[in-house]
């Protein structure tokens, strides 16, 4: 088993379609995604309910306009993540091969924990995007977490 990391964003005002997370593997390691969690805390009434499309895909270019959260090791004392993580890029990456697609009802949290056989593997220097393809009807106060493993390096 490799080194496990989490990357998060919290209480971000999401007003546009965006790359919620972009993970770029280090040149000498592969990365395996173990799970994704998304939530919003601003639209809690039935009248504010909406469905947003979530995609997981490989990307060929990097997005921009967001932040670069630090990937935190889940084991105290583990090395820093050798790749990069970006969050909430409003200028989105170039969409590559779509691996998964869902419609997320924002009144319920989004949780994806794939079985080991379904976990996407990012090859060395490869890129994986977790994208909110839909534009929210109004500003959503969103939080999110992605858990991943670095193998090699």
């Amino acid at each position: 088993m490799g080194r496990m990391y989490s990357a998060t964003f919290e209480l971000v005002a999401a007003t546009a379609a965006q790359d919620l997370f972009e993970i770029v593997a280090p040149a000498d390691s592969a990365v395996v995604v173990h799970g994704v969690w998304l939530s919003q805390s601003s639209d809690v009434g039935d009248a504010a309910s909406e469905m947003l499309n979530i995609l997981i895909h490989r990307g060929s270019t990097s997005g921009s306009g967001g932040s670069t959260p630090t990937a935190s090791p889940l084991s105290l004392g583990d090395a820093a993540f050798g790749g990069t993580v970006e969050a909430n890029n409003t200028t989105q990456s170039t969409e590559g091969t779509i691996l998964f697609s869902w419609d997320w009802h924002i009144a319920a949290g989004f949780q994806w924990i794939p079985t080991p056989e379904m976990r996407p593997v990012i090859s060395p220097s490869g890129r994986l995007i977790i994208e909110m393809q839909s534009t929210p009807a109004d500003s959503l106060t969103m939080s999110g977490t992605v858990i991943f493993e670095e193998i090699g390096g």
Side-chain angles (χ1 to χ4, degrees):
M1 183 168 182
R3 293 177 303 280
M4 298 291 295
Y5 298 90
S6 71
T8 64
F9 65 87
E10 57 183 332
L11 304 175
V12 170
T15 58
Q18 59 191 268
D19 293 342
L20 298 171
F21 289 104
E22 175 182 326
I23 303 169
V24 180
D28 60 352
S29 304
V31 172
V32 180
V33 177
H34 285 257
V36 177
W37 292 261
L38 302 171
S39 63
Q40 64 82 30
S41 59
S42 53
D43 286 12
V44 295
D46 287 345
S49 182
E50 60 183 297
M51 301 286 286
L52 299 174
N53 187 246
I54 304 295
L55 299 176
I56 295 180
H57 62 85
R58 301 192 192 283
S60 58
T61 63
S62 181
S64 63
S67 64
T68 53
T70 300
S72 301
L74 295 184
S75 292
L76 188 63
D78 255 355
F81 176 53
T84 60
V85 179
E86 296 179 3
N88 308 108
N89 284 338
T90 52
T91 300
Q92 295 176 275
S93 65
T94 302
E95 190 174 291
T97 304
I98 297 172
L99 302 176
F100 301 95
S101 176
W102 301 268
D103 290 316
W104 169 39
H105 192 288
I106 65 166
F110 177 87
Q111 177 178 319
W112 180 64
I113 305 171
T115 62
E117 301 82 7
M118 291 175 51
R119 293 176 185 152
V121 177
I122 310 168
S123 60
S125 300
R127 173 179 281 111
L128 190 82
I129 313 297
I130 300 154
E131 174 186 352
M132 181 172 68
Q133 188 179 38
S134 309
T135 298
D138 59 354
S139 182
L140 295 177
T141 303
M142 291 185 62
S143 298
T145 300
V146 60
I147 303 290
F148 57 93
E149 175 183 10
E150 181 180 356
I151 301 172

